[in-house]
Amino acid sequence: MSTSILNEDQVSVKGCSIIYAPKGQAGEYAPLAANPYRGCGHQCAYCYVPAVLRMTRTEFDAGAIPRNNYLDLIAKDGRKYRQHGITEQVMLSFTTDPYHPTDNTLTRDVLKSLASHGLGFCTLTKGGQRALRDIDLFRPDRDAFASTLTSSDEAFSQKWERGAALPQDRMDTLRAFHDAGIFTWVSLEPTLDCESSIDIVRRTHEYVDLFKIGRANYLPMTNNTDWESYTHRMVELCNELGVRHYIKKDLQQYLPHGYYNPLRVQQFHA
């Protein structure tokens, strides 16, 4: 019999810190998450994570380092989740990227561990085709693959996301997972340029199952952005194309009254 107890959210297990329930804006993306690495290497100029982790940007951007004894620790948490019958998707990752540019082989073992303990998983990455190594582990009826896209323009991406896979690489990888029967979604956050985000939906909607749409709150370049107009245009486009979407809390004030905008939808194919 399990000696652990669930938190009030009835999804996360009290005392577990490796598999945890993200809060705030991160909590809008997934009920559970895990971060196998410290640092990243994609060198995104807009990234806020170094400040959260109290790392210098230089240290954070230098590359991702596996956290100590991570496989043993996640298996320990995984056993507690299995004892409670929790089968939710665990998202990798909020404070790193599971398919960062250096040695990311730990990611494959983490996905295996989550599956072996009865959990689903989702990866959110800017790593593009690096993720294809693990496509065989993704189960159409349990798991999801996601990518962050800020622009389809290579020059724009190379300015803001110097170490990340180029946008077309990421879009091609989304298509590959979609063609393999895996649920795909795109994070349109941060929105650095409204026209770019709208263009991404037009370009990718045939192989993306869900768009999660947010804004940028901490970049001076977006201080004068008309977020109300952006929200209205994005909602109109998504409905015109018939694509599922979630408008994040920072933009929900601009939604029509009573607009259907569920926080959680099924992120796998039944």
Side-chain angles (χ1 to χ4, degrees):
M1 181 178 295
S2 173
T3 57
S4 60
I5 60 175
L6 294 178
N7 288 311
E8 291 182 3
D9 58 24
Q10 295 299 299
V11 175
S12 61
V13 177
K14 185 166 290 189
C16 289
S17 60
I18 304 302
I19 302 174
Y20 69 99
K23 306 297 183 184
Q25 291 182 334
E28 293 184 77
Y29 275 104
L32 297 170
N35 300 296
Y37 307 94
R38 181 175 169 83
C40 181
H42 279 154
Q43 304 176 54
C44 299
Y46 52 74
C47 185
Y48 62 88
V49 174
V52 173
L53 298 182
R54 298 181 181 179
M55 299 175 69
T56 66
R57 185 165 292 276
T58 300
E59 179 187 9
F60 184 82
D61 286 350
I65 300 171
R67 294 182 181 271
N68 291 334
N69 200 31
Y70 195 80
L71 285 178
D72 288 341
L73 293 173
I74 201 167
K76 181 179 179 181
D77 276 10
R79 288 191 290 272
K80 294 178 181 179
Y81 277 83
R82 182 171 57 193
Q83 288 167 352
H84 283 283
I86 302 297
T87 61
E88 298 284 347
Q89 283 183 0
V90 178
M91 199 184 94
L92 277 62
S93 298
F94 283 113
T95 64
T96 186
D97 192 300
Y99 297 107
H100 58 85
T102 49
D103 183 1
N104 56 54
T105 53
L106 173 62
T107 297
R108 185 172 179 85
D109 290 330
V110 169
L111 299 182
K112 288 181 178 179
S113 181
L114 293 171
S116 72
H117 290 98
L119 291 155
F121 57 76
C122 170
T123 59
L124 174 62
T125 181
K126 297 189 191 85
Q129 294 187 39
R130 290 191 288 269
L132 293 177
R133 177 199 65 203
D134 296 336
I135 194 170
D136 62 300
L137 299 180
F138 285 72
R139 301 158 294 178
D141 61 347
R142 295 297 307 278
D143 309 316
F145 177 80
S147 187
T148 298
L149 290 168
T150 57
S151 175
S152 59
D153 181 73
E154 287 192 5
F156 186 95
S157 178
Q158 287 174 325
K159 174 183 177 181
W160 288 95
E161 307 159 335
R162 296 184 302 276
L166 291 173
Q168 190 60 55
D169 187 332
R170 285 180 245 172
M171 290 188 279
D172 289 344
T173 305
L174 282 161
R175 186 186 290 275
F177 273 85
H178 170 82
D179 290 349
I182 307 303
F183 188 99
T184 58
W185 59 269
V186 162
S187 169
L188 291 173
E189 186 185 47
T191 294
L192 304 178
D193 176 77
C194 294
E195 298 304 323
S196 294
S197 292
I198 289 169
D199 176 64
I200 287 165
V201 174
R202 290 193 182 278
R203 286 174 179 262
T204 66
H205 71 276
E206 291 182 350
Y207 51 88
V208 171
D209 294 300
L210 175 68
F211 293 92
K212 301 188 180 186
I213 302 161
R215 55 174 288 176
N217 293 310
Y218 43 85
L219 295 173
M221 65 181 286
T222 64
N223 286 346
N224 296 319
T225 299
D226 187 343
W227 293 114
E228 182 173 8
S229 173
Y230 170 65
T231 303
H232 291 169
R233 291 175 65 200
M234 188 63 85
V235 165
E236 182 179 352
L237 175 62
C238 288
N239 285 318
E240 174 191 325
L241 297 175
V243 296
R244 285 187 286 180
H245 53 284
Y246 170 68
I247 306 298
K248 294 195 71 180
K249 289 182 179 178
D250 285 342
L251 296 176
Q252 287 177 10
Q253 62 183 305
Y254 306 121
L255 288 174
H257 179 70
Y259 190 81
Y260 183 69
N261 188 51
L263 174 62
R264 302 273 184 249
V265 299
Q266 179 176 288
Q267 292 184 171
F268 57 84
H269 295 304

